[in-house]
Amino acid sequence: MLKFSGKSVYKGIVLGPAAVLKNNDFQVKRERAEDSEAEIARVETAVEKAQEQLQKLYEKAVKEVGEASAAIFEVHQMMLEDDDYRDAVSSMIRTEQINAEYAVAVTGDNFSEMFANMDDDYMKARAADIKDISNRLVRNLAGQEDMDFGSMEPSVIIADDLSPSETVQMDKSKILAFVTVHGSTNSHTAILARMMNIPALIGVPMDLEEIHTGQTVVVDGFKAEVVFDPTEELCRETEARMKEEQEKTELLQTLKGKENVTRSGKKIHIYANIGSVGDVGYVLENDAGGIGLFRSEFLYLGRNDFPTEEEQFQAYRQVVQTMAGKKVIIRTLDIGADKQVDYLNLGREDNPAMGYRAIRICLKQKDIFKTQLRALLRAAAYGNLSIMYPMIISTEEVRQIYSIVDEVECELNDAGIPYKIPEQGIMIETPASVMISDELAEMVDFFSIGTNDLTQYTLAIDRQNEKLDDFYNPHHKAILRMIKLVVDNAHKHGKWAGICGELGADLELTQEFVRMGLDELSVAPSMVLKVRKNVREME
């Protein structure tokens, strides 16, 4: 039995098999191969295996995100059959008498560089695809299996750390819990765990080489412990506690259909935060009044090129139609900081949290922004959609945004495409926006306070730095006073204000938020009924 302690980011308890995700980054070594034909045969086998993997990924993606988004896997299958690429690998193996792994890796680098230097933007974008299929072949040659989330049984995900682009590709129905060596309480993994109502531990000092997939594991979010190969007694005790937690959850279900109103009659909206079209089921299942934050950036993650206008339109429309008239607030692209995509070529920054990100990218690269705005305005014609702009620090930025929206409106009019100008609000995430919130309130339809970033910028603490978790205090008086100031300034100009950051789900603050006059709290779907319970028990 192996037991480790960590930091709990969502309390809960679970017993199940482990699924260990190991870092597959490794140096491909050049080795002499006496039998070149045998090496070429290994490449052919690896290609066949890659085709099977890509076909499975395509079929899964078609079901989950539609045919347009799944097409990338078809492109990869076709590229694997390219004669020039295959001939280059075979020729290198024969002429240099080297191992298959090295020949594939070098050929992938050469072809990728060639595509990257082309003038045509479409061909440039294929550089990342070449790199991806080459890495897949190298993994297959090295015997490193892809984690097949489609066929695996429900499991506890064990990893060094998980990036947003990794978690967005997971089959969430198969995840029992998260346990990672690194990560912070404000990472996307932590946010995802809270959304899914599953236990999660970070900062667990385990050696992944000592743990294997299939090993029985207990994750206890209440004690912040993970136990591998638990005793029979501990398994029985865990199963009893799991049953007890399930009974508590069932009691909360009786609150479905009830109003979010205090005993004295004060009402508040309780919405849900989500990251993908597939997460809408969690919203409906937990009886949220709407979607207070749809993180549109997750349409951009886990892929090799920008999502098209049509792909985005289909995703936004699906969410709006599924919510059937309930409010859906979609945040425009918030890439940067901890959410990186290679094809944007953002480059390395010493302090990415305070760098080129979110609305700054959109205002600098208008074509990207206009594509998303066209999709949003088109989708707004199908339901109750609102747009929310992140990382605003000035009234000038709002004016620039409205100017670009006007351009998009003219383009849609000229093309005869149906659309609607929806409610437009901004996120209050910086001390600058707090201090000028009286001026901003005159320009926008609503405020949504992003307490995660507001806390890190106010306290000068990087929320992704796990060493600073003990200093990160979202209950700091400065944060609470800022929230009150923003709410007062919004109401002074007849606008509504809500919270969409993690603090909105902090049950210790629910009563204070209601007393402050907040109109809306948007929380992880799993927290909707818990917050409703707190509100209904208030005097």
Side-chain angles (χ1 to χ4, degrees):
M1 187 169 83
L2 280 173
K3 181 161 75 171
F4 301 98
S5 295
K7 293 176 185 173
S8 178
V9 294
Y10 190 82
K11 291 179 170 59
I13 187 163
V14 73
L15 168 71
V20 184
L21 306 186
K22 294 182 179 175
N23 191 339
N24 286 333
D25 291 340
F26 62 98
Q27 288 292 104
V28 178
K29 294 180 181 177
R30 179 189 178 111
E31 295 176 357
R32 182 175 175 79
E34 299 296 338
D35 191 343
S36 296
E37 297 310 311
E39 292 300 299
I40 292 170
R42 288 180 64 219
V43 174
E44 295 303 316
T45 302
V47 167
E48 289 174 14
K49 186 172 183 179
Q51 292 283 23
E52 291 172 8
Q53 293 168 334
L54 290 165
Q55 184 59 31
K56 284 181 182 176
L57 287 171
Y58 172 77
E59 290 167 1
K60 179 176 181 287
V62 166
K63 291 177 186 173
E64 294 181 2
V65 295
E67 200 157 340
S69 298
I72 186 63
F73 299 116
E74 283 190 317
V75 172
H76 284 198
Q77 285 177 295
M78 288 188 285
M79 294 176 92
L80 276 173
E81 296 299 328
D82 182 76
D83 289 336
D84 291 333
Y85 177 81
R86 301 271 288 270
D87 289 346
V89 172
S90 300
S91 175
M92 186 176 287
I93 291 173
R94 288 193 180 104
T95 57
E96 300 184 34
Q97 290 190 295
I98 54 172
N99 56 318
E101 290 89 341
Y102 189 79
V104 168
V106 170
T107 301
D109 288 343
N110 291 343
F111 272 65
S112 180
E113 186 176 352
M114 177 180 71
F115 276 87
N117 290 327
M118 290 183 177
D119 293 329
D120 183 83
D121 287 340
Y122 176 83
M123 299 308 288
K124 278 184 178 179
R126 302 287 71 77
D129 294 323
I130 288 285
K131 197 80 172 157
D132 194 54
I133 63 171
S134 296
N135 288 341
R136 180 175 293 279
L137 287 180
V138 170
R139 288 198 302 272
N140 288 346
L141 286 163
Q144 294 194 340
E145 294 288 331
D146 273 359
M147 177 60 70
D148 184 358
F149 289 102
S151 62
M152 86 172 190
E153 60 181 316
S155 304
V156 175
I157 304 298
I158 310 290
D160 182 73
D161 200 359
L162 292 165
S163 69
S165 56
E166 286 173 322
T167 54
V168 80
Q169 295 178 72
M170 292 181 178
D171 181 348
K172 299 179 184 66
S173 66
K174 302 290 180 70
I175 303 172
L176 298 178
F178 288 118
V179 181
T180 62
V181 178
H182 297 103
S184 88
T185 52
N186 298 291
S187 67
H188 178 64
T189 305
I191 292 170
L192 184 61
R194 289 189 281 265
M195 183 189 77
M196 295 170 60
N197 198 18
I198 59 174
L201 299 182
I202 60 168
V204 179
M206 54 190 173
D207 183 352
L208 296 185
E209 296 304 318
E210 295 179 0
I211 301 159
H212 58 80
T213 293
Q215 203 168 352
T216 302
V217 57
V218 169
V219 181
D220 189 337
F222 298 100
K223 295 180 180 178
E225 289 179 350
V226 56
V227 180
F228 296 93
D229 295 327
T231 62
E232 287 185 17
E233 183 182 353
L234 180 56
C235 287
R236 284 194 299 272
E237 180 187 320
T238 301
E239 286 168 348
R241 289 179 60 199
M242 286 169 65
K243 185 179 178 184
E244 186 181 319
E245 288 303 310
Q246 180 59 32
E247 288 169 356
K248 289 179 184 176
T249 300
E250 287 169 3
L251 276 176
L252 281 175
Q253 300 304 304
T254 61
L255 291 175
K256 284 186 177 180
K258 302 285 178 67
E259 283 192 298
N260 310 307
V261 57
T262 66
R263 290 176 179 174
S264 59
K266 169 74 175 174
K267 291 183 180 180
I268 188 168
H269 294 291
I270 301 178
Y271 294 164
N273 300 334
I274 64 170
S276 73
V277 176
D279 296 337
V280 176
Y282 295 116
V283 179
L284 300 175
E285 180 186 331
N286 289 280
D287 198 35
I291 294 172
L293 169 61
F294 179 98
R295 300 180 178 93
S296 70
E297 58 271 18
F298 291 105
L299 292 171
Y300 294 74
L301 295 169
R303 53 188 296 147
N304 298 315
D305 204 354
F306 295 100
T308 64
E309 177 186 328
E310 195 61 29
E311 287 177 79
Q312 294 189 63
F313 164 65
Q314 295 291 351
Y316 304 146
R317 183 177 68 171
Q318 185 178 339
V319 173
V320 167
Q321 288 178 328
T322 304
M323 290 303 293
K326 292 181 178 178
K327 188 183 288 292
V328 175
I329 303 174
I330 299 178
R331 177 174 70 188
T332 57
L333 179 62
D334 189 10
I335 287 292
D338 62 319
K339 298 185 284 285
Q340 296 287 331
V341 291
D342 293 339
Y343 56 82
L344 250 176
N345 298 315
L346 296 179
R348 186 186 175 280
E349 294 182 297
D350 290 334
N351 194 345
M354 302 182 81
Y356 188 47
R357 59 173 295 199
I359 203 65
R360 296 165 186 176
I361 293 174
C362 292
L363 293 178
K364 284 280 191 181
Q365 301 186 50
K366 279 175 56 175
D367 288 347
I368 297 171
F369 194 28
K370 287 176 75 172
T371 298
Q372 181 171 34
L373 287 173
R374 283 172 62 93
L376 286 165
L377 265 58
R378 289 171 60 194
Y382 292 85
N384 188 2
L385 183 150
S386 299
I387 301 177
M388 179 162 70
Y389 304 108
M391 284 295 292
I392 298 299
I393 62 169
S394 70
T395 55
E396 180 55 34
E397 286 174 338
V398 177
R399 277 190 283 271
Q400 287 181 55
I401 290 166
Y402 286 165
S403 174
I404 296 170
V405 171
D406 288 343
E407 290 178 29
V408 169
E409 186 178 4
C410 290
E411 290 172 6
L412 292 172
N413 277 328
D414 291 344
I417 298 172
Y419 71 94
K420 186 176 85 176
I421 297 294
E423 183 183 47
Q424 297 177 78
I426 61 170
M427 289 190 70
I428 301 292
E429 302 172 271
T430 64
S433 61
V434 171
M435 299 311 294
I436 61 167
S437 57
D438 54 339
E439 296 178 45
L440 290 168
E442 294 181 32
M443 305 177 73
V444 301
D445 295 315
F446 67 91
F447 289 150
S448 189
I449 304 168
T451 52
N452 303 357
D453 273 329
L454 182 60
T455 303
Q456 81 164 338
Y457 294 135
T458 303
L459 302 184
I461 288 176
D462 179 0
R463 64 189 177 97
Q464 299 297 324
N465 188 338
E466 58 197 79
K467 294 178 183 176
L468 301 177
D469 279 353
D470 291 340
F471 298 94
Y472 186 88
N473 176 20
H475 288 210
H476 196 289
K477 285 181 183 178
I479 307 300
L480 299 179
R481 287 178 184 176
M482 283 180 162
I483 293 171
K484 183 70 168 71
L485 177 62
V486 170
V487 173
D488 289 346
N489 281 332
H491 290 172
K492 189 164 60 179
H493 293 279
K495 309 299 170 62
W496 66 265
I499 289 178
C500 66
E502 292 296 300
L503 202 59
D506 191 325
L507 299 177
E508 292 178 27
L509 292 173
T510 305
Q511 293 192 22
E512 186 160 355
F513 288 152
V514 173
R515 292 193 184 102
M516 281 182 185
L518 276 152
D519 304 285
E520 174 247 22
L521 296 174
S522 190
V523 300
S526 61
M527 294 299 297
V528 169
L529 295 176
K530 293 177 183 177
V531 176
R532 178 176 296 168
K533 181 174 183 288
N534 257 20
V535 170
R536 290 177 63 83
E537 290 174 353
M538 277 185 69
E539 293 296 340

